[in-house]
Amino acid sequence: MAGADGDDSLYPIAVLIDELRNEDVQLRLNSIKKLSTIALALGVERTRTELLPFLTDTIYDEDEVLLALAEQLGNFTMLVGGPEYVHCLLPPLESLATVEETVVRDKAVESLRKISQEHSPVDLEVHFEPLVKRLASGDWFTSRTSACGLFSVCYPRVSSTVKAEIRQHFRTLCSDDTPMVRRAAASKLGEFAKVLELDYVKSDIISLFTALASDEQDSVRLLAVEACVSIATLLPQEDLESLVMPTLRQAAEDKSWRVRYMVADKFSELQKAVGPEITKNDLVPAFQNLLKDCEAEVRAAAANKVKEFCENLPEDNREQIIMTHILPCVKELVSDTNQHVKSALASVIMGLSTILGKDNTIEHLLPLFLAQLKDECPEVRLNIISNLDCVNEVIGIRQLSQSLLPAIVELAEDAKWRVRLAIIEYMPLLAGQLGVEFFDEKLNTLCMAWLIDHVYAIREAATCNLMKLVEKFGAEWAQNTIVPKVLGMANDPNYLHRMTTLFCINALSEACGQDITTKQMLPVVLKMSNDQVANVRFNVAKSLQKIGPVLDSNALQTEVKPVLEKLATDTDMDVKYFAQEAISVLVLA
């Protein structure tokens, strides 16, 4: 029988073994999450000789347990004795990198990438690189897909002989029989290209890129488009035309819409990677075609990039390219049959005004903005309104105001409450741009109508909106236009509207200042303390607590205190509670 010390030191591993064999998944998961504590208790040597072999041999579990284990092992370097022993973590992670569940494999690869940095160059060749080879030539596609994510982390730090082997393995996986493996290789192609020497990028990567970009599976081809950005940034300008552009042209006209979508989605990055000359000759026509694509998803992705693409055009002939090549396509998209396309365009089209300047905006863009403000789709109108500040800088908002109003009114009364909510949030911005007179004349009534909307979120946002407007236009404006209307709602037969009065007073008291709050708002709040509805009464107590700091001490003692004391003896529990809380916060006791 071992001594007491021996028993104690065996305890953690015995508990772990018990817990990992327990039927309850949650228990097993918790014990994996405590692995670092157990490893600390065991010490580095026993972690290496007992814990890791145990984990490597006995782990066949639920995916969430394996996921937790793969994550934990990535942070285990110091617990096995630091970088010189880090290779001890490779066996359990290797088996996790071959399991069926993708999420677990990805996490194991992430942890392997992390600990690869902690291997010395010698250990990398002796321990890590053989693991990558084993995975790359595994029987199951799962191990081969995992290998794809590990080439780039070990390549820069190994000898040239080993580098040649790694390149060969990567080449093999790029033409693997299983589409999943080719997909994994294609997704890592750009990353691998970045660590290769330029000569090998030209001799190896380009041929792999060309092959993957014409793979029979569209899911592989679209990943090759992503790699195109990285490859193009690595090559000197004179090689781009012959090595990359034929493949990119082919991708932009691919028979699968998913591939064309990916080209559209990455268009700005591709544009920066290939430079101004190729952009002018090749990408402009390609972009026109994507904007006219037969698939709505592709048109929407391209429409999203219109502003960025135009911004990145070479300055010397930017305006001419936009006016002759891009704008005609944009005009067609404004009346597209698909609302997602129109919505995508509406979110960026206003940005063209700063690029094209005042005259072009008034002549060419303004009619498009006005058409979109009348669009039947609320998202389109909303996207135009939310980006008005770009146009305001260039031509001033007055040009748009006549069409703007009907659009705002329609959105403000839209049947979908989320649309109403979105327009409220732009109100302070609009108010600032349109000025106080225009606002009072046209939009004030709308802002007040929102206060009695049947959806609480709208009433709440409308209250917040009033506060922002008062901050913008000042207390005197509030006293003349807002406060009388808000206080008038205190006599509304609907108790929800009476409560909105209190919410508005809470929001406005600080912005309006002591004088208005004491003379105009306080009497209304005090009068509402006799309301029939308990919800209104306890909100009176909450309001008094909120506006208390704005009032002078005389009003607090003579007017607020007696009302709160009366509410503190109310028959309703909630009214009592909030009244007592207000008394203690305002220190009136």
Side-chain angles (χ1 to χ4, degrees):
M1 173 78 181
D5 287 354
D7 288 345
D8 275 359
S9 63
L10 288 171
Y11 179 68
I13 196 113
V15 172
L16 179 71
I17 290 169
D18 272 355
E19 287 188 347
L20 283 179
R21 290 187 176 144
N22 194 297
E23 285 180 14
D24 182 0
V25 174
Q26 198 53 50
L27 247 176
R28 299 203 301 273
L29 195 56
N30 291 344
S31 66
I32 289 289
K33 287 182 175 166
K34 286 189 304 213
L35 264 188
S36 52
T37 319
I38 291 164
L40 272 173
L42 286 170
V44 293
E45 192 149 328
R46 291 189 60 200
T47 297
R48 293 198 299 269
T49 55
E50 294 173 37
L51 181 59
L52 290 176
F54 167 71
L55 291 171
T56 312
D57 297 340
T58 58
I59 287 292
Y60 300 100
D61 206 330
E62 301 283 336
D63 294 331
E64 53 191 318
V65 178
L66 297 181
L67 179 65
L69 177 61
E71 187 169 5
Q72 289 283 322
L73 290 174
N75 305 317
F76 244 59
T77 307
M78 296 324 289
L79 298 169
V80 293
E84 71 185 284
Y85 294 106
V86 71
H87 59 83
C88 300
L89 295 170
L90 298 180
L93 282 169
E94 181 175 354
S95 55
L96 287 167
T98 62
V99 299
E100 199 175 334
E101 175 52 53
T102 314
V103 187
V104 177
R105 289 202 309 272
D106 289 349
K107 187 55 78 176
V109 168
E110 190 184 311
S111 290
L112 280 166
R113 287 168 69 103
K114 196 173 181 181
I115 65 171
S116 72
Q117 307 304 324
E118 287 156 348
H119 282 66
S120 65
V122 176
D123 281 345
L124 207 61
E125 287 203 16
V126 175
H127 299 286
F128 197 88
E129 206 269 335
L131 168 143
V132 179
K133 279 188 196 165
R134 284 195 299 278
L135 289 173
S137 46
D139 291 338
W140 289 94
F141 81 87
T142 50
S143 73
R144 302 200 299 277
T145 53
S146 291
C148 296
L150 298 173
F151 292 121
S152 63
V153 287
C154 54
Y155 188 87
R157 295 168 58 212
V158 292
S159 63
S160 52
T161 331
V162 179
K163 281 184 172 178
E165 289 175 15
I166 292 176
R167 290 196 302 276
Q168 184 50 50
H169 276 294
F170 193 78
R171 265 201 301 278
T172 310
L173 293 180
C174 283
S175 53
D176 195 278
D177 291 342
T178 314
M180 277 79 91
V181 178
R182 298 201 301 277
R183 223 173 18 234
S187 71
K188 299 296 176 194
L189 184 65
E191 179 187 287
F192 189 49
K194 283 179 183 168
V195 298
L196 253 64
E197 299 78 359
L198 184 60
D199 287 349
Y200 292 122
V201 172
K202 290 184 187 178
S203 61
D204 289 22
I205 295 290
I206 293 295
S207 58
L208 297 176
F209 166 61
T210 313
L212 290 167
S214 43
D215 193 276
E216 62 190 36
Q217 298 275 334
D218 64 355
S219 59
V220 177
R221 298 200 300 275
L222 65 88
L223 290 166
V225 172
E226 273 194 72
C228 183
V229 178
S230 307
I231 295 167
T233 47
L234 297 171
L235 292 170
Q237 193 67 33
E238 62 272 14
D239 293 330
L240 283 175
E241 184 55 56
S242 58
L243 299 179
V244 174
M245 286 318 293
T247 311
L248 184 57
R249 283 187 205 109
Q250 172 192 321
E253 294 169 0
D254 196 279
K255 62 179 183 293
S256 162
W257 71 266
R258 286 187 182 83
V259 179
R260 301 196 303 274
Y261 172 88
M262 188 56 100
V263 174
D265 193 49
K266 300 278 168 203
F267 217 83
S268 304
E269 293 156 61
L270 287 165
Q271 181 187 8
K272 285 175 189 161
V274 299
E277 209 47 47
I278 293 180
T279 294
K280 202 163 57 181
N281 301 334
D282 266 293
L283 293 195
V284 171
F287 193 56
Q288 284 177 286
N289 290 337
L290 292 169
L291 288 170
K292 295 174 182 168
D293 198 275
C294 57
E295 285 295 334
E297 280 85 351
V298 179
R299 295 200 300 278
N304 249 321
K305 301 288 170 193
V306 163
K307 179 186 163 208
E308 263 181 89
F309 181 72
C310 294
E311 270 175 344
N312 296 330
L313 287 168
E315 274 187 42
D316 51 350
N317 50 7
R318 179 196 290 165
E319 191 176 317
Q320 182 254 325
I321 293 176
I322 297 173
M323 298 306 287
T324 50
H325 300 293
I326 307 297
L327 203 60
C329 302
V330 168
K331 283 178 179 168
E332 282 176 37
L333 291 182
V334 167
S335 51
D336 198 276
T337 49
N338 184 291
Q339 67 178 50
H340 299 294
V341 176
K342 290 188 292 188
S343 191
L345 182 67
S347 63
V348 296
I349 190 172
M350 309 296 263
L352 292 179
S353 53
T354 44
I355 302 169
L356 290 175
K358 187 172 180 177
D359 296 342
N360 282 328
T361 298
I362 292 173
E363 190 180 339
H364 297 286
L365 294 178
L366 199 55
L368 303 182
F369 302 155
L370 298 175
Q372 286 179 304
L373 277 172
K374 294 177 188 143
D375 197 277
E376 78 275 6
C377 169
E379 277 79 12
V380 175
R381 304 197 295 270
L382 205 54
N383 281 343
I384 289 290
I385 288 169
S386 57
N387 288 293
L388 279 173
D389 39 347
C390 316
V391 181
N392 195 23
E393 286 166 27
V394 182
I395 59 168
I397 210 164
R398 290 282 163 180
Q399 298 267 9
L400 273 175
S401 56
Q402 290 325 108
S403 302
L404 197 53
L405 271 170
I408 292 171
V409 172
E410 265 182 55
L411 288 167
E413 293 163 358
D414 196 275
K416 295 195 196 83
W417 69 268
R418 287 179 196 282
V419 175
R420 301 201 296 278
L421 185 63
I423 191 70
I424 295 176
E425 283 162 5
Y426 291 115
M427 231 10 149
L429 175 79
L430 282 171
Q433 291 173 353
L434 291 163
V436 66
E437 298 85 4
F438 189 91
F439 183 84
D440 279 349
E441 186 190 333
K442 315 279 187 187
L443 298 177
N444 199 340
T445 40
L446 265 186
C447 290
M448 300 313 293
W450 281 320
L451 291 171
I452 53 173
D453 196 279
H454 61 278
V455 176
Y456 174 74
I458 302 290
R459 299 197 297 274
E460 187 183 33
T463 306
C464 186
N465 170 47
L466 283 189
M467 180 179 74
K468 289 178 184 162
L469 290 173
V470 173
E471 284 166 4
K472 213 173 250 329
F473 293 152
E476 193 182 328
W477 173 80
Q479 189 174 1
N480 296 331
T481 53
I482 296 287
V483 176
K485 291 179 181 172
V486 166
L487 299 182
M489 285 163 58
N491 302 316
D492 196 290
N494 184 332
Y495 84 97
L496 292 171
H497 300 168
R498 300 202 293 279
M499 271 164 55
T500 303
T501 298
L502 293 170
F503 298 150
C504 288
I505 289 172
N506 297 348
L508 297 176
S509 59
E510 211 169 309
C512 287
Q514 192 181 65
D515 194 46
I516 297 175
T517 305
T518 311
K519 289 182 183 162
Q520 290 183 294
M521 296 182 184
L522 181 61
V524 174
V525 179
L526 297 174
K527 184 180 163 206
M528 290 171 82
S529 67
N530 299 316
D531 200 282
Q532 300 291 303
V533 179
N535 282 30
V536 176
R537 295 200 301 280
F538 80 63
N539 271 297
V540 165
K542 285 166 87 171
S543 285
L544 290 173
Q545 181 182 327
K546 177 85 175 79
I547 68 171
V550 182
L551 304 169
D552 61 44
S553 54
N554 181 34
L556 273 176
Q557 289 299 334
T558 59
E559 300 182 60
V560 174
K561 188 178 175 182
V563 168
L564 283 174
E565 283 171 347
K566 184 184 82 181
L567 291 172
T569 59
D570 198 277
T571 50
D572 186 276
M573 291 295 293
D574 291 327
V575 178
K576 264 187 193 172
Y577 169 77
F578 285 112
Q580 284 159 357
E581 189 182 297
I583 289 170
S584 64
V585 169
L586 297 171
V587 201
L588 294 173

